[in-house]
Amino acid sequence: MPSQILPISNPPSSSASAATMALKAEIDADPSATLLISSQFDTEKAISITPLLPRASSYNNTTNIITNYQQQRRRRSASDTSLALLADESPRQSLTQEVGHAAAETYLITRLSLKLLRYLGVGYRWITRFIALGCYSLLLMPGFIQVGYYYFFSRQVRRGIIYGDQPRNRLDLYLPKNSNGPKPVVAFVTGGAWIIGYKAWGSLLGQQLSERDVIVACIDYRNFPQGTISDMVKDASEGISFICKNIAEYGGDPNRIYLMGQSAGAHIAACTLVEQAIKECGEGESVSWSVSQIKAYFGLSGGYNLFNLIDHFHSRGLYRSIFLGIMEGEASLRQFSPEVLLQDLNAKYAVSLLPPIILFHGTGDYSIPSDSSKSFADTLRRLGGKAESISYEGKTHTDLFLQDPMRGGRDEMFEDLVAIIHADDEDALAKDAVAPPRRRLVPEFMLKLAHDVSPF
């Protein structure tokens, strides 16, 4: 039955009380009634008001309504978090908003690149490196354009979700189209030499994993000089905490959360995981998430012993003075070297708390040698941890993360990753077995040239 419409005109003041009582009686009889209020001063305008309270509620609890509203508003973030459950029903942002956001993202990326150039200097070595980087980017541009379009315009991407108080405390979510049942989740920390890390770097991985029914959360964090390594680890920890607490609202399974990092992001994520395990070993330590909530850690092309890498980075152009500035001085190298830190007598018990650790690395990686992953895995196993190092013959620092995924077809590292995530899900494994080959994004000859000119 449609709601009754009750006309109200401005009554004489002497009859105000009687009119109010009559109106209240009619509302009590039909709580869904709509009030049509008219005024003698403006007979052409009408306001449709639906009663906020049901018949059984008191008309005097306005304070409670305001309090509840304020509590709900505090729970909402300034991002699109509150729209997650309505993803399929929410309207697309206007083209102007999307273009504006793309322009802002492009500006940030350009600023990060200029910042990197300023810190590395303009010597002959870096001039040639940046020329090589320009050629490399042009060769992969067809893939970058397609991934960028997906990042900015796909309804499956939730960009800029706020997880903390700092300016870079944002994350992007990549959601599968299939919303049946809770999905496994990968919390991903992107690389970028600790200077140009950015959450959008994970968009290709996010797109491809979401096609396999895996939710991906790419965590942004402060870069140097906006922050040093302890700030980066703190940001990553807060991002992981947010995911553990809130991912169920987006269709994620809180019992199947995997932590993953690439390059510098692999180092930051490993530091975060080890620091959390050590905290949980201590007495009275306050923690906002637990290592037990992470089902496995995936490290892609990462470095875990800074003592062994500082000279290598210096020879590659990440000069010692800059690197020590990022890592808060030479005295802090031990604290931020997971492989070294876990060998300390006071930290050995933390190894037993760590989840299984799987380290992927290409043998042709010149930016961070593959021995870094092998050594870390060996150390963990020697200390009683569960660890495995998987090597890919001839693959460079970017082959596993960019060129191979853009090649389409079967990607060995990607298939290994998905097989581990879906290991306990027979239905998902069956779907993976018949999944169509991935689409090629860049012609093969351009990928081969990119491999040859890559400065990484």
XYZ file of all heavy atoms in Angstrom, residues 158-195:
300
model
N 39.499 -0.317 -6.601
C 39.146 0.699 -5.600
C 40.433 1.418 -5.229
O 41.280 0.865 -4.535
C 38.518 0.053 -4.359
C 37.293 -0.789 -4.653
C 36.091 0.092 -5.003
N 34.978 -0.745 -5.425
C 34.723 -1.056 -6.674
N 35.512 -0.594 -7.632
N 33.705 -1.818 -6.994
N 40.600 2.624 -5.710
C 41.850 3.353 -5.528
C 41.807 4.256 -4.306
O 40.771 4.827 -3.963
C 42.151 4.219 -6.761
C 42.313 3.446 -8.044
C 42.785 4.372 -9.161
N 41.944 5.551 -9.255
C 40.835 5.627 -9.985
N 40.441 4.587 -10.688
N 40.136 6.735 -10.030
N 42.980 4.402 -3.679
C 43.161 5.425 -2.655
C 42.398 5.212 -1.368
O 41.980 6.180 -0.720
N 42.215 3.975 -0.935
C 41.540 3.716 0.337
C 42.484 4.092 1.481
O 43.637 3.666 1.523
C 41.121 2.241 0.443
C 40.100 1.908 -0.651
C 40.552 1.923 1.816
C 39.741 0.450 -0.731
N 41.998 4.892 2.395
C 42.831 5.399 3.486
C 42.981 4.333 4.577
O 41.994 3.762 5.036
C 42.209 6.665 4.092
C 42.162 7.777 3.034
C 42.987 7.148 5.309
C 41.402 9.008 3.475
N 44.230 4.075 4.982
C 44.443 3.115 6.064
C 45.177 3.718 7.257
O 45.338 3.066 8.294
C 45.215 1.888 5.550
C 46.662 2.128 5.170
C 47.656 2.221 6.144
C 47.053 2.240 3.840
C 48.983 2.428 5.811
C 48.380 2.438 3.490
C 49.336 2.530 4.476
O 50.662 2.741 4.141
N 45.648 4.946 7.158
C 46.378 5.570 8.259
C 46.326 7.077 8.174
O 45.613 7.652 7.343
N 47.113 7.743 9.018
C 47.062 9.200 9.136
C 48.060 9.927 8.249
O 47.961 11.141 8.080
C 47.312 9.616 10.595
C 46.255 9.050 11.539
O 45.110 8.878 11.081
O 46.577 8.780 12.717
N 49.043 9.231 7.713
C 50.080 9.886 6.922
C 49.611 10.123 5.480
O 48.724 9.414 4.987
C 51.350 9.039 6.925
C 51.980 8.866 8.285
C 52.411 10.188 8.896
O 52.906 11.075 8.203
N 52.221 10.326 10.206
N 50.193 11.121 4.784
C 49.733 11.447 3.431
C 49.786 10.278 2.455
O 48.946 10.172 1.573
C 50.706 12.557 2.992
C 51.184 13.171 4.260
C 51.240 12.054 5.256
N 50.765 9.395 2.592
C 50.890 8.275 1.653
C 50.221 7.009 2.183
O 50.388 5.927 1.604
C 52.367 7.996 1.361
C 53.103 9.113 0.621
C 52.692 9.213 -0.831
N 53.031 8.036 -1.591
C 54.206 7.796 -2.147
N 55.188 8.685 -2.023
N 54.428 6.705 -2.843
N 49.479 7.102 3.251
C 48.807 5.926 3.820
C 47.540 5.618 3.032
O 46.411 5.854 3.495
C 48.492 6.136 5.291
C 49.708 6.077 6.190
O 49.628 6.343 7.384
N 50.863 5.738 5.626
N 47.737 5.102 1.833
C 46.638 4.732 0.943
C 46.912 3.340 0.385
O 48.045 2.888 0.325
C 46.528 5.706 -0.239
C 46.390 7.185 0.141
C 45.021 7.491 0.712
N 44.833 8.920 0.891
C 45.197 9.586 1.977
N 45.823 8.957 2.964
N 44.954 10.881 2.088
N 45.865 2.667 -0.016
C 46.041 1.385 -0.702
C 44.996 1.253 -1.795
O 43.935 1.885 -1.750
C 45.993 0.213 0.279
C 44.750 -0.034 1.129
C 43.678 -0.804 0.354
C 45.103 -0.803 2.395
N 45.318 0.433 -2.792
C 44.401 0.129 -3.889
C 43.950 -1.320 -3.756
O 44.753 -2.203 -3.419
C 45.083 0.312 -5.251
C 45.481 1.756 -5.526
O 44.806 2.662 -5.008
O 46.466 1.970 -6.252
N 42.682 -1.555 -4.047
C 42.137 -2.907 -4.030
C 41.746 -3.337 -5.430
O 41.125 -2.569 -6.173
C 40.905 -2.982 -3.125
C 41.114 -3.053 -1.613
C 39.760 -3.129 -0.910
C 41.963 -4.252 -1.230
N 42.108 -4.558 -5.780
C 41.738 -5.165 -7.055
C 40.806 -6.334 -6.744
O 41.224 -7.319 -6.130
C 42.975 -5.641 -7.810
C 43.921 -4.507 -8.155
C 44.818 -4.011 -7.204
C 43.899 -3.915 -9.402
C 45.671 -2.958 -7.507
C 44.750 -2.861 -9.724
C 45.632 -2.390 -8.765
O 46.467 -1.333 -9.053
N 39.541 -6.196 -7.141
C 38.511 -7.152 -6.756
C 38.128 -8.040 -7.931
O 37.973 -7.541 -9.062
C 37.264 -6.417 -6.252
C 37.494 -5.407 -5.125
C 36.195 -4.668 -4.808
C 38.028 -6.098 -3.884
N 37.959 -9.340 -7.712
C 37.502 -10.234 -8.778
C 36.077 -9.897 -9.200
O 35.284 -9.372 -8.416
C 37.582 -11.623 -8.133
C 38.481 -11.459 -6.948
C 38.281 -10.066 -6.472
N 35.749 -10.196 -10.442
C 34.374 -9.986 -10.904
C 33.424 -10.964 -10.229
O 32.273 -10.643 -9.955
C 34.310 -10.151 -12.430
C 35.007 -9.039 -13.191
C 34.866 -9.233 -14.688
C 35.554 -8.093 -15.455
N 35.445 -8.263 -16.923
N 33.912 -12.160 -9.998
C 33.106 -13.174 -9.323
C 33.085 -12.895 -7.823
O 34.133 -12.900 -7.178
C 33.687 -14.563 -9.609
C 33.023 -15.645 -8.790
O 31.923 -15.471 -8.271
N 33.701 -16.775 -8.664
N 31.925 -12.641 -7.272
C 31.816 -12.306 -5.851
C 31.272 -13.459 -5.016
O 30.829 -13.261 -3.887
C 30.912 -11.079 -5.672
O 29.628 -11.327 -6.219
N 31.298 -14.667 -5.557
C 30.788 -15.826 -4.829
C 31.806 -16.320 -3.808
O 32.881 -16.782 -4.167
C 30.451 -16.965 -5.804
C 29.353 -16.571 -6.764
O 28.497 -15.763 -6.436
N 29.375 -17.142 -7.961
N 31.460 -16.222 -2.539
C 32.319 -16.752 -1.486
C 33.500 -15.866 -1.185
O 33.926 -15.060 -2.028
N 34.065 -15.992 0.018
C 35.245 -15.196 0.393
C 36.471 -15.599 -0.431
O 36.687 -16.768 -0.716
C 35.438 -15.526 1.879
C 34.759 -16.840 2.089
C 33.621 -16.883 1.120
N 37.277 -14.600 -0.803
C 38.421 -14.813 -1.683
C 39.742 -14.727 -0.914
O 39.848 -13.990 0.077
C 38.447 -13.740 -2.772
C 37.145 -13.539 -3.510
C 36.773 -14.753 -4.329
C 35.515 -14.478 -5.151
N 35.052 -15.695 -5.859
N 40.752 -15.453 -1.369
C 42.090 -15.257 -0.794
C 42.579 -13.846 -1.106
O 42.158 -13.233 -2.098
C 42.939 -16.328 -1.473
C 42.197 -16.682 -2.722
C 40.744 -16.482 -2.423
N 43.482 -13.344 -0.276
C 43.922 -11.949 -0.368
C 45.447 -11.894 -0.401
O 46.108 -12.581 0.389
C 43.407 -11.126 0.829
C 43.823 -9.665 0.703
C 41.893 -11.261 0.965
N 45.991 -11.073 -1.287
C 47.426 -10.802 -1.319
C 47.645 -9.339 -0.956
O 47.175 -8.444 -1.662
C 48.036 -11.097 -2.705
C 49.478 -10.606 -2.765
C 47.979 -12.594 -3.012
N 48.317 -9.099 0.168
C 48.723 -7.749 0.553
C 50.089 -7.502 -0.062
O 51.069 -8.149 0.305
C 48.775 -7.621 2.072
N 50.153 -6.569 -1.020
C 51.350 -6.397 -1.836
C 52.032 -5.062 -1.554
O 51.388 -4.009 -1.551
C 50.981 -6.486 -3.318
C 52.156 -6.401 -4.250
C 53.089 -7.420 -4.294
C 52.333 -5.310 -5.080
C 54.180 -7.358 -5.152
C 53.411 -5.237 -5.944
C 54.341 -6.261 -5.980
N 53.361 -5.123 -1.303
C 54.172 -3.924 -1.089
C 55.059 -3.758 -2.313
O 55.891 -4.614 -2.610
C 55.028 -4.043 0.189
C 55.796 -2.732 0.438
C 54.151 -4.368 1.401
N 54.887 -2.656 -3.033
C 55.597 -2.453 -4.290
C 57.046 -2.040 -4.064
O 57.416 -1.555 -2.996
C 54.908 -1.373 -5.138
O 54.903 -0.143 -4.409
C 53.482 -1.763 -5.450
N 57.864 -2.218 -5.099
C 59.263 -1.801 -5.045
C 59.448 -0.370 -5.521
O 58.480 0.360 -5.732
N 60.713 0.016 -5.723
C 61.008 1.369 -6.168
C 62.242 1.948 -5.515
O 62.332 3.164 -5.335
N 63.215 1.100 -5.156
C 64.498 1.545 -4.602
C 64.329 2.393 -3.347
O 65.178 3.229 -3.050
C 65.303 2.306 -5.662
N 63.243 2.208 -2.618
C 62.945 2.954 -1.390
C 62.748 4.452 -1.655
O 62.560 5.225 -0.733
C 64.025 2.775 -0.332
C 64.273 1.362 0.054
C 63.603 0.638 1.004
C 65.269 0.473 -0.475
N 64.097 -0.639 1.087
C 65.134 -0.776 0.203
C 66.259 0.609 -1.441
C 65.948 -1.863 -0.065
C 67.059 -0.483 -1.725
C 66.905 -1.699 -1.046
N 62.773 4.857 -2.935
C 62.688 6.282 -3.284
C 61.479 6.582 -4.168
O 60.836 7.624 -4.023
C 63.985 6.751 -3.992
C 65.185 6.590 -3.060
C 63.874 8.216 -4.437
C 66.530 6.918 -3.708
